[in-house]
Amino acid sequence: MSRRPVHSVRSVTAAAAALAAVGALTAAAVPASAHVPAHPRAAARHVLLLSVDGLHQSDLAWYVARHPHSALARLAGGGVEYTHAATTNPSDSFPGMVGQLTGGNPGTTGVYYDDTYSSALLPAGTTKCAGAKPGAEVDLTEDLDKNQDSLDAGQGLTGLPGSILQMTGAPARLLAPSKLPVDPKTCRPVYPHSYLRVNTVFEVARQAGLRTAWSDKHAAYDILNGPSGKGIQDLFTPEINSKAIGYSAGDWTKDNAATEQYDGYKARAVLNEIDGYDHSRTHKVGTPAVFGMNFQSVSTAQKLPASDGLTGGYQAKGVPGPLLAKNLDFVDQQVGALLTELGKRHLADSTTVILSSKHGQSPTDPTALTRIDDGPLLDGLNAAWKAAHPGAGDLVAHAVDDDAMLIWLTDRSQAAADFAKAYLLARSGTGNGIDGKARPFTASGLETLYAGAAAARYFHARPGDSRVPDLVGVTQYGVVYTGGKGKIAEHGGAHADDLDVPLVVSGAATPHGVRVAGPVHTTQIAPTILRLLGLDPRSLDAVRVEHTRVLPAS
């Protein structure tokens, strides 16, 4: 719970008049007796969206209470803070970010995770499509890069890592076509932007003649360009899972100091954009109307057992440990630099800053951790299926198990889904806890498992949809599927620790010091961005399908 003084926080009702003055209030009509300020704030000309991946609302409240004069405190106190915001389910980076910028959930966008399966597409590398059997992995990770070991994804820059700011703003050209699934109708590779079923905020902004930019962690974030492939004019995507130069741990996520360094490149890109340049500071193009970035370093501080001599994760339920506390300081400093630069460039009064997260992280209670190797569970399922169906192949076509279980089957019948459900719920075994010691589990670590038509209904998708998983498992709290002991948290699941994220809208066209306690969703960010810029939220396909509302009091 936030500990800001009561007098610094206004209710939604008290802020309604100020919002009505700029035409931003959509949650409810303004009472006739409401006071309208004589000098309403100007509407936004720019929206800066920041995603601090892994950050919970409880983390933000914890930090602000202890650092009341921090940049994060100023941001939250200077705008509207939504204390009960939820991200998409699954709570993965791809559906989470896509949701923020389309207004849609996976059942509408068709994006369930960063590595999924489609029963309608052909496998990567298919060149003879006539008569080819559909069914393909859709991998939207670093695996698509021409060179996933390089920070520039294979562009060929010299003198890395400092020269990474010279990386192209059109990273789709860095994706290897041979690694992309193939459309059986055209026999052509399906790029990430073409895989998205709905349009994006960036596309709507561009159609209105506004400039767009974004910075993220893989070239596959080309998906945010939307189906047109042209939504983002300047997309900066240094590869986070490349080899971290100067660090011995591996990629940039294996050492928290490396992740901070990596995040610093994206923050520098945004600073350049605030100053009116492209991300590389090469061309003067004007400050974008819609731009922003994701921070990855909080997520690594939550997941690594230790890094840089500090213990990772949480000391107790919801209490950040030393590595996470240090990293919250880092993010605060970076956010402070962005806010300072907006002020220097006289953009503070025309820019709305939105702070949220693609996903949370679970568990925040270290004593609840149960690490389970999912490999034997899936192998056992395939063996049981073959034993019951002589001559059959594997039942599992593809699976993604972080702290949820998503499984696509080669046999998409309800009978096959029910078989898999019964098998998995009957499995027990031994994993390990936060201390590495043996820890028993039951029901494959699952609390609930939806199969077949029930899985489709869970996502509000059409049964038999080519992308929806055939099984969706909600884990018991604290379960993380991993074969080792190298991580202490994960995301992707449906627990509060995965879903409960911060959401702050602060700056131009927003009231000060308002706290909204009612439930909201990060998919509401997309229509809110358009409304702030004076554009029609219903220009978004997903908004029309899901009737996604603009955030109240924003």
Side-chain angles (χ1 to χ4, degrees), residues 277-302:
Y277 293 89
D278 64 1
H279 77 265
S280 68
R281 206 176 184 85
T282 302
H283 304 288
K284 191 78 171 180
V285 293
T287 304
V290 186
F291 64 129
M293 64 170 284
N294 88 299
F295 288 95
Q296 196 68 25
S297 43
V298 162
S299 182
T300 64
Q302 293 167 324

Side-chain angles (χ1 to χ4, degrees), residues 471-482:
L471 290 104
V472 181
V474 178
T475 61
Q476 299 164 23
Y477 180 68
V479 166
V480 170
Y481 292 109
T482 178

Side-chain angles (χ1 to χ4, degrees), residues 478-551:
V479 166
V480 170
Y481 292 109
T482 178
K485 301 177 182 179
K487 65 175 67 173
I488 57 175
E490 258 297 356
H491 55 270
H495 291 290
D497 286 357
D498 296 290
L499 300 176
D500 292 354
V501 295
L503 180 49
V504 174
V505 181
S506 184
T510 61
H512 286 288
V514 175
R515 190 176 302 154
V516 178
V520 296
H521 295 86
T522 55
T523 53
Q524 294 177 259
I525 290 173
T528 299
I529 289 174
L530 295 185
R531 177 56 61 88
L532 287 166
L533 293 172
L535 303 177
D536 184 4
R538 288 186 57 78
S539 297
L540 290 169
D541 301 331
V543 166
R544 296 194 302 274
V545 171
E546 297 189 12
H547 307 289
T548 314
R549 302 183 69 185
V550 171
L551 287 166

Side-chain angles (χ1 to χ4, degrees), residues 135-474:
E137 180 181 4
V138 181
D139 187 347
L140 302 176
T141 69
E142 68 277 6
D143 294 336
L144 293 184
D145 299 347
K146 289 182 176 179
N147 182 0
Q148 68 186 63
D149 289 332
S150 178
L151 187 59
D152 67 3
Q155 183 173 331
L157 296 175
T158 59
L160 293 174
S163 66
I164 190 59
L165 284 168
Q166 299 303 314
M167 186 176 178
T168 178
R173 68 185 66 172
L174 302 178
L175 301 176
S178 63
K179 299 178 181 179
L180 297 168
V182 175
D183 184 341
K185 296 179 181 178
T186 64
C187 210
R188 293 178 179 274
V190 178
Y191 279 79
H193 68 262
S194 298
Y195 190 66
L196 185 60
R197 286 175 168 169
V198 296
N199 64 345
T200 71
V201 164
F202 296 119
E203 289 179 295
V204 175
R206 284 218 64 190
Q207 290 168 358
L210 303 178
R211 183 164 180 81
T212 59
W214 186 253
S215 297
D216 223 301
K217 61 183 181 178
H218 304 304
Y221 275 87
D222 163 68
I223 197 169
L224 300 179
N225 272 307
S228 71
K230 300 178 180 179
I232 306 175
Q233 290 163 285
D234 188 4
L235 179 57
F236 178 53
T237 59
E239 178 51 66
I240 194 168
N241 290 120
S242 62
K243 292 182 178 178
I245 298 173
Y247 298 88
S248 60
D251 70 34
W252 297 90
T253 68
K254 298 299 190 294
D255 186 306
N256 191 244
T259 318
E260 289 183 357
Q261 180 179 328
Y262 167 87
D263 278 349
Y265 299 128
K266 291 182 294 183
R268 171 51 56 186
V270 174
L271 287 169
N272 289 339
E273 291 159 357
I274 290 172
D275 291 348
Y277 293 89
D278 64 1
H279 77 265
S280 68
R281 206 176 184 85
T282 302
H283 304 288
K284 191 78 171 180
V285 293
T287 304
V290 186
F291 64 129
M293 64 170 284
N294 88 299
F295 288 95
Q296 196 68 25
S297 43
V298 162
S299 182
T300 64
Q302 293 167 324
K303 294 170 74 171
L304 293 172
S307 187
D308 311 314
L310 298 173
T311 302
Y314 293 84
Q315 291 181 319
K317 175 65 175 175
V319 180
L323 183 64
L324 181 53
K326 170 182 172 291
N327 199 255
L328 292 171
D329 284 335
F330 167 78
V331 170
D332 182 73
Q333 292 163 7
Q334 298 300 310
V335 171
L338 299 177
L339 297 179
T340 297
E341 198 67 16
L342 287 170
K344 286 182 180 178
R345 298 300 173 181
H346 308 290
L347 296 172
D349 290 337
S350 60
T351 302
T352 302
V353 179
I354 300 178
L355 176 78
S356 191
S357 179
K358 298 175 185 175
H359 58 78
Q361 208 89 255
S362 180
T364 59
D365 180 358
T367 65
L369 178 66
T370 302
R371 288 178 286 223
I372 300 174
D373 187 352
D374 61 325
L377 296 174
L378 300 178
D379 290 343
L381 172 57
N382 282 328
W385 176 256
K386 292 175 183 178
H389 302 80
D394 287 347
L395 179 58
V396 178
H398 188 70
V400 178
D401 308 325
D402 284 328
D403 71 332
M405 184 175 282
L406 306 181
I407 300 177
W408 291 261
L409 302 178
T410 54
D411 181 335
R412 304 204 71 200
S413 68
Q414 186 65 46
D418 289 341
F419 179 95
K421 176 179 179 179
Y423 176 87
L424 291 168
L425 291 181
R427 303 278 74 77
S428 60
T430 303
N432 64 85
I434 189 71
D435 56 4
K437 295 180 180 179
R439 188 160 189 162
F441 67 83
T442 60
S444 296
L446 296 168
E447 178 182 287
T448 308
L449 185 58
Y450 300 91
R457 288 193 296 271
Y458 182 77
F459 289 122
H460 303 286
R462 176 180 56 81
D465 180 271
S466 61
R467 302 183 188 183
V468 69
D470 295 296
L471 290 104
V472 181
V474 178

